[in-house]
Amino acid sequence: MHAFLTLLGEFIATHHARLRHFAKVACVILLCAAALEVVVFNFNHWRSLTWQPITANEQSNLQETADERLRISAIDNTIEFDYVGVPVHNIKLDFSGNQSAQNVPVKIWFTDDAHSTYFDDDEYTAGVPVTYVSTNNEESKYLNINASGSVYKLRIQVGVDDGETKVTYPLYLSKVVLNAPEPFSFSGERFLFAACIMALIYAFRPKSSLYRTQLREHPRRTKIAVIGVAAVEIWVGAAFLLFGTNLVGVATQHYNSGSWDGMSVVNVFECGGENAQQYAELAKSMTHGKLYLEEEPPNWLQNMDDPYDRGARDQLVKETGENYLWDTAYYEGHYYVYFGVVPVLLFYLPFYLVTGANFPTAIGVLIGMVFFIAGLSALLDRFARYHFKRMTTGVFLLLQIAIVTCCGMPYLLKFPTFYSLPIMLALAFSVWGLYFWMVGRSHKRPEGFYLAGSLCMALVVGCRPQLVLLSFLAFPLFWRMYITEGRIRTVAGARQFACLIAPYIVVCAGIMWYNKARFGSLFDFGANYNLTVNDMTKRGMAVGRIAPALFAYLFQTPATTGVFPYLQAVAFDTTYLGQTVKEATFGGIFAVLPILWVLPFARRILQMRINQRKTRTVAGVIGVLIGIGVLIAVADAEMAGILQRYFADFSIMFLMAAVLLLFIVNENIENGSKAHEVFVRVLPVAVAVGVAYTVLLCITAETGWVSDAYPWAYQGLLETFQFWT
């Protein structure tokens, strides 16, 4: 302890000025965030202080209970006031606390000095929209009214049919108050969010010292910064994943407490429906020596001439009342899992053997996220330190944040299901594989690194096969070394090359055996036997699907609305006269990620690098990344369809190519020059736009997420940001 205190004292004495400056900046940021929370975010509190509240229970026409609450039913759900006669600034619907939590749609009509009758949407104007009140969220109970002068007649319909929300009656109101002063509310989450935003703005301002601190000159300090940023990203990602409680499958006394067993510190439970347990059920089957799921398909499915015809399946489900397992591979009377087998071997099988329970898929996604962020940070750090001597901490951290945030990985955290797990693990294995390769290229004894790298890259085949195309980066990374320079003809070179190849042979042999044992073919992964929205056995390859897919994946502009979180699913139109598999998407990557706009200038930027170096390794890497990015986007569309989670398959390729190009740009501009000044002004803005888009995408309401499962909790999230409503 004494030694630690001595070291701490020496550190403080050495860096006294820097620590003092840091403390002053931190205090200013925290004070500004507090001022925003107190003054701006509590705007409605301050403006309502002088309002005179009117309790309107007596004027309502609703039935009162014995404890003087207002009872709302499906038939009697309208509160009507024949005459108010004063300006109305807000309405408080004070739902009593002793009832189930739910999100209630509310429709309001009123007459005022500008309207003698109730008004609603017409050809030229929009009326008062349906709004939502969470029965257990205080902030949502206050509805601000924007009337012209005094309000005369007032009608409030609680539980209006909006076509989406199902309301459970009866509902109980403690009281209805007009012009209710809003209480002061200090949100710790909102305060921290504002402080983080201001800290990022300060850290990456054009005059920041981060743009003068080079990675090579201060290796210890900059590595701490890289590790710190990665740790924060992991913490934020974990918090976001755990926010979607309905998809996590883990319960404690205070988290998912309804599924807690009452005894264990932590217990797991099944979530997401029967279809979501495919990996867990395969693990159970494997313990019994089987490669198919033990659940027996219904007789009608086994007797069908074409079990892959969805329309025919749906008809037989109606006739027999027997359902089938959705999105499984059906082959010769058995259900199979066509998703990669590596997640089962890594998580589900060991977990089942030890505990006898199903491994929670979301925890696998969380583990994959941790290893992905750590591996990507290590890979970028290795590339930047060893190949770009003028790389600064500011530029590096900006680009690292851009890739982590914008590569599609956060969307996998939004839906941490068995669909996302293979993609997340494939991304994690890929970045670690590339990292080990990069370390091996400059190591005296690279064999171990090559083995580790190639093993990681080969395991991708057992997770998400299309991402194995990243292995083609081996050509620009190793071609000159082993082929052009002929190192493969030496004993050491042959041994090293064998270490690069051997893991692929072993892993692929195992996967081919697995395929043959199930489907009788070394190369049949079973995707064509999928019981899904279309007949995969007859899907084939159609050129007409390519253009719509590339437009949706790469170039389609996002659709926005004026209501937070602003994003909504884009419209999809095509002239392709055939079936297109399409889920909700939110814009192409080139339209929403400005950092990618550097790619059209790749040739000119690469010429700068070629002028500096005789080798063209970086140019080859960038070319391969762009090529396989396009190829995977096309392959996803042809083999499966256009889905938002598939963006994680190819976005990282384009982002890594863009980052390498920006590394080159940074290397070729003088610090302090006009070009550098423009660069450090434009780059943070481009990154910020992409990060903001990703954040909004991740909190946009979607079917199956917490916004759908627990809409009242989601309403609380919206109220945190919509402080003005």
Side-chain angles (χ1 to χ4, degrees):
M1 186 67 180
H2 177 72
F4 171 76
L5 292 175
T6 302
L7 289 173
L8 181 62
E10 292 176 355
F11 177 81
I12 294 174
T14 305
H15 302 281
H16 174 72
R18 186 175 289 109
L19 291 173
R20 184 176 180 181
H21 175 73
F22 176 82
K24 288 171 62 176
V25 171
C27 288
V28 170
I29 288 174
L30 292 175
L31 286 173
C32 289
L36 279 175
E37 181 62 31
V38 171
V39 178
V40 178
F41 300 152
N42 275 279
F43 165 76
N44 285 321
H45 165 72
W46 300 114
R47 78 183 185 110
S48 65
L49 281 177
T50 58
W51 293 351
Q52 297 301 314
I54 303 170
T55 302
N57 287 34
E58 298 79 6
Q59 300 182 46
S60 73
N61 56 323
L62 294 177
Q63 175 187 349
E64 282 198 17
T65 62
D67 55 357
E68 299 183 341
R69 295 186 299 169
L70 300 177
R71 185 179 186 276
I72 298 172
S73 66
I75 299 174
D76 191 13
N77 66 346
T78 301
I79 306 169
E80 188 110 30
F81 303 100
D82 293 331
Y83 184 78
V84 178
V86 297
V88 176
H89 305 293
N90 75 358
I91 301 170
K92 180 183 180 183
L93 298 177
D94 192 8
F95 286 93
S96 58
N98 55 341
Q99 60 186 313
S100 61
Q102 56 181 312
N103 221 32
V104 182
V106 175
K107 175 70 175 176
I108 298 172
W109 295 266
F110 56 82
T111 65
D112 56 15
D113 289 340
H115 306 87
S116 59
T117 60
Y118 290 143
F119 59 94
D120 215 326
D121 295 352
D122 59 29
E123 185 179 0
Y124 301 106
T125 64
V128 181
V130 173
T131 190
Y132 295 86
V133 177
S134 172
T135 57
N136 65 342
N137 181 270
E138 187 67 21
E139 291 183 352
S140 73
K141 297 177 181 178
Y142 295 85
L143 308 176
N144 292 331
I145 301 299
N146 296 281
S148 300
S150 296
V151 170
Y152 300 102
K153 295 179 68 177
L154 176 64
R155 178 193 295 168
I156 308 169
Q157 186 176 353
V158 182
V160 62
D161 183 9
D162 64 351
E164 298 179 0
T165 308
K166 183 179 180 180
V167 178
T168 302
Y169 295 100
L171 293 166
Y172 294 95
L173 284 168
S174 296
K175 55 186 174 180
V176 179
V177 183
L178 308 183
N179 295 331
E182 292 197 27
F184 180 84
S185 175
F186 190 96
S187 170
E189 294 84 357
R190 191 166 54 198
F191 165 74
L192 289 175
F193 182 78
C196 288
I197 294 298
M198 287 187 284
L200 287 171
I201 292 173
Y202 178 80
F204 294 108
R205 70 194 189 282
K207 300 296 184 181
S208 173
S209 61
L210 290 177
Y211 300 121
R212 299 189 298 272
T213 306
Q214 295 184 359
L215 296 182
R216 285 191 174 186
E217 291 182 356
H218 305 279
R220 187 175 180 181
R221 188 193 311 169
T222 55
K223 284 183 178 179
I224 291 174
V226 173
I227 294 171
V229 168
V232 170
E233 291 167 343
I234 290 171
W235 177 77
V236 172
F240 176 62
L241 181 148
L242 296 173
F243 174 72
T245 55
N246 60 305
L247 295 171
V248 173
V250 172
T252 69
Q253 184 178 1
H254 304 291
Y255 181 78
N256 281 329
S257 55
S259 299
W260 184 49
D261 61 14
M263 298 177 292
S264 308
V265 176
V266 179
N267 68 270
V268 300
F269 63 94
E270 296 182 8
C271 61
E274 187 178 13
N275 175 55
Q277 305 305 318
Q278 291 187 38
Y279 272 149
E281 293 303 315
L282 178 57
K284 294 177 184 177
S285 295
M286 285 181 169
T287 62
H288 301 149
K290 301 173 184 176
L291 298 178
Y292 54 83
L293 303 185
E294 294 184 333
E295 180 170 340
E296 194 74 18
N299 288 330
W300 61 259
L301 184 63
Q302 300 183 49
N303 295 331
M304 287 184 70
D305 293 331
D306 183 5
Y308 308 107
D309 183 337
R310 183 191 181 183
R313 291 200 309 269
D314 291 347
Q315 183 62 36
L316 286 168
V317 168
K318 292 178 182 178
E319 293 175 3
T320 64
E322 292 183 275
N323 216 327
Y324 62 94
L325 282 182
W326 176 261
D327 234 355
T328 54
Y330 174 74
Y331 184 75
E332 295 186 351
H334 295 294
Y335 290 128
Y336 293 89
V337 177
Y338 72 89
F339 297 92
V341 71
V342 167
V344 178
L345 302 178
L346 277 180
F347 300 127
Y348 295 85
L349 185 57
F351 190 82
Y352 180 72
L353 290 172
V354 173
T355 68
N358 291 355
F359 178 76
T361 300
I363 302 304
V365 175
L366 179 60
I367 293 170
M369 179 269 293
V370 172
F371 278 93
F372 170 71
I373 293 177
L376 180 65
S377 301
L379 173 63
L380 290 178
D381 183 80
R382 181 78 187 187
F383 221 106
R385 288 183 194 274
Y386 285 82
H387 298 277
F388 297 92
K389 62 181 181 181
R390 297 176 58 186
M391 178 54 57
T392 63
T393 308
V395 172
F396 177 84
L397 292 179
L398 273 175
L399 297 177
Q400 189 269 359
I401 291 171
I403 296 189
V404 168
T405 307
C406 303
C407 70
M409 179 273 295
Y411 192 80
L412 302 180
L413 300 179
K414 184 176 184 178
F415 293 100
T417 65
F418 74 102
Y419 292 105
S420 298
L421 180 57
I423 303 175
M424 184 69 81
L425 288 181
L427 290 173
F429 280 129
S430 295
V431 294
W432 277 109
L434 292 173
Y435 170 75
F436 288 128
W437 277 357
M438 289 297 299
V439 174
R441 288 179 78 243
S442 57
H443 203 276
K444 292 181 179 179
R445 297 296 301 270
E447 289 85 354
F449 294 105
Y450 286 169
L451 280 171
S454 292
L455 177 62
C456 288
M457 300 300 282
L459 287 173
V460 171
V461 181
C463 297
R464 187 71 169 167
Q466 50 265 60
L467 281 174
V468 79
L469 291 180
L470 274 170
S471 293
F472 281 102
L473 288 173
F475 286 97
L477 290 176
F478 299 113
W479 186 270
R480 177 181 59 84
M481 186 183 304
Y482 290 99
I483 305 302
T484 304
E485 296 178 358
R487 188 181 299 184
I488 195 173
R489 293 191 293 270
T490 66
V491 174
R495 183 176 63 249
Q496 295 163 12
F497 191 77
C499 291
L500 285 170
I501 299 299
Y504 283 96
I505 296 174
V506 174
V507 172
C508 290
I511 292 174
M512 286 189 290
W513 172 87
Y514 179 65
N515 290 340
K516 186 171 179 57
R518 296 184 302 161
F519 307 119
S521 171
L522 298 174
F523 304 101
D524 193 344
F525 287 82
N528 283 342
Y529 311 123
N530 187 17
L531 300 178
T532 184
V533 295
N534 63 326
D535 187 342
M536 296 290 290
T537 63
K538 300 179 180 66
R539 180 174 175 83
M541 306 290 283
V543 175
R545 289 198 291 256
I546 295 177
L550 290 180
F551 175 72
Y553 278 144
L554 303 182
F555 304 113
Q556 186 165 22
T557 54
T560 58
T561 179
V563 179
F564 184 85
Y566 308 122
L567 285 181
Q568 57 186 9
V570 298
F572 180 77
D573 298 302
T574 178
T575 57
Y576 172 68
L577 302 183
Q579 186 181 45
T580 300
V581 179
K582 173 74 167 60
E583 290 185 1
T585 58
F586 298 85
I589 58 173
F590 281 91
V592 299
L593 305 178
I595 191 175
L596 297 181
W597 297 351
V598 71
L599 292 179
F601 305 97
R603 185 175 180 180
R604 185 175 179 181
I605 295 172
L606 286 173
Q607 190 59 51
M608 300 179 187
R609 182 70 175 180
I610 293 170
N611 292 339
Q612 290 178 328
R613 301 283 187 95
K614 293 181 180 180
T615 63
R616 302 195 177 191
T617 302
V618 173
V621 168
I622 292 172
V624 170
L625 286 170
I626 295 173
I628 62 176
V630 174
L631 188 59
I632 291 176
V634 172
D636 277 349
E638 289 286 3
M639 294 187 297
I642 304 170
L643 288 74
Q644 187 64 43
R645 68 175 176 271
Y646 290 173
F647 281 71
D649 283 341
F650 56 82
S651 295
I652 192 170
M653 287 77 171
F654 293 104
L655 283 164
M656 290 175 73
V659 164
L660 289 176
L661 289 172
L662 291 168
F663 278 2
I664 297 171
V665 171
N666 180 76
E667 193 79 0
N668 284 271
I669 54 178
E670 290 292 334
N671 194 4
S673 65
K674 188 67 176 179
H676 184 267
E677 183 179 342
V678 172
F679 183 67
V680 297
R681 289 180 183 275
V682 172
L683 183 60
V685 174
V687 172
V689 171
V691 171
Y693 164 82
T694 301
V695 171
L696 295 177
L697 170 62
C698 286
I699 60 177
T700 296
E702 288 192 74
T703 302
W705 190 49
V706 68
S707 57
D708 182 43
Y710 305 119
W712 56 91
Y714 181 67
Q715 187 65 32
L717 173 68
L718 296 182
E719 294 292 337
T720 300
F721 290 93
Q722 295 181 125
F723 61 89
W724 58 88
T725 59

